[in-house]
Amino acid sequence: MRKLIVLLIMVGGLIPTLWGSDRCDQQRLSREEFRARQEAYITEKAGLTQEEATKFFPVYFELQDRKKKLNDEAWDLFRKGKDKNTTEAQYSEILEDVYDKRIASDRLDKTYFEKFKKILSCKKIYLVQQAEMRFHRDMLKDNMKPKPKEGGKEPGRR
């Protein structure tokens, strides 16, 4: 049960907490660099006009910031359970609070969907969400690839 909860939190928190790393030098991207890449990717893949992107992304990133805050709070709660002296009642309280954070995050999604509809068509919102998932998947794939060894050859390649 504990593993399932951790997995749910990790998956739910992936979007706002994944800041990525640069494949060239394996250093973390700054928040601004990550967001610039994300904005460019989503704009292209969802076919947003410059005007749409200018109106949409401030609201989109506001949502991401609010969801990140909730996710950080959930992780802080989860860390409390690492104490070996945590009681069953404390675990219950931690889990209730974590679930409340996840529900609050889902409510934010619904609230911001209404805001997004004032900026974009539902089709474009759908395309944005699809592009967002692809962006994170591509970032994860890039980060999972082995780092090339000296001499430019990738490990396992001749």
Side-chain angles (χ1 to χ4, degrees), residues 11 18 20 30 32 67 71 76 90 94 100 125 150:
V11 169
L18 177 64
S30 72
E32 292 75 23
K67 287 178 68 173
N71 188 59
D76 289 343
Q90 289 170 319
I94 288 168
D100 288 344
I125 295 169
E150 300 272 334

Side-chain angles (χ1 to χ4, degrees), residues 52-141:
E52 288 171 330
T54 300
K55 291 178 183 177
F56 173 75
F57 281 103
V59 180
Y60 174 82
F61 289 132
E62 179 183 303
L63 169 62
Q64 297 308 312
D65 290 343
R66 292 182 70 185
K67 287 178 68 173
K68 183 181 184 321
K69 183 176 184 274
L70 287 169
N71 188 59
D72 289 347
E73 291 170 5
W75 275 111
D76 289 343
L77 289 166
F78 237 86
R79 285 184 195 97
K80 289 180 183 179
K82 287 185 177 182
D83 183 355
K84 293 183 194 266
N85 297 321
T86 304
T87 66
E88 188 67 21
Q90 289 170 319
Y91 279 123
S92 177
E93 185 178 327
I94 288 168
L95 292 173
E96 287 289 332
D97 290 346
V98 166
Y99 286 128
D100 288 344
K101 300 293 181 201
R102 297 302 314 137
I103 291 167
S105 180
D106 289 343
R107 284 188 180 129
L108 274 176
D109 282 330
K110 178 69 173 172
T111 299
Y112 275 79
F113 170 60
E114 296 302 322
K115 291 180 181 187
F116 294 160
K117 287 195 310 188
K118 294 176 182 173
I119 301 167
L120 301 174
S121 69
C122 287
K123 180 179 181 178
K124 290 249 177 141
I125 295 169
Y126 173 84
L127 293 172
V128 163
Q129 290 180 352
Q130 193 175 42
E132 179 184 45
M133 288 186 286
R134 282 191 203 135
F135 174 78
H136 290 289
R137 186 187 66 219
D138 290 350
M139 290 291 288
L140 284 172
K141 275 187 196 175

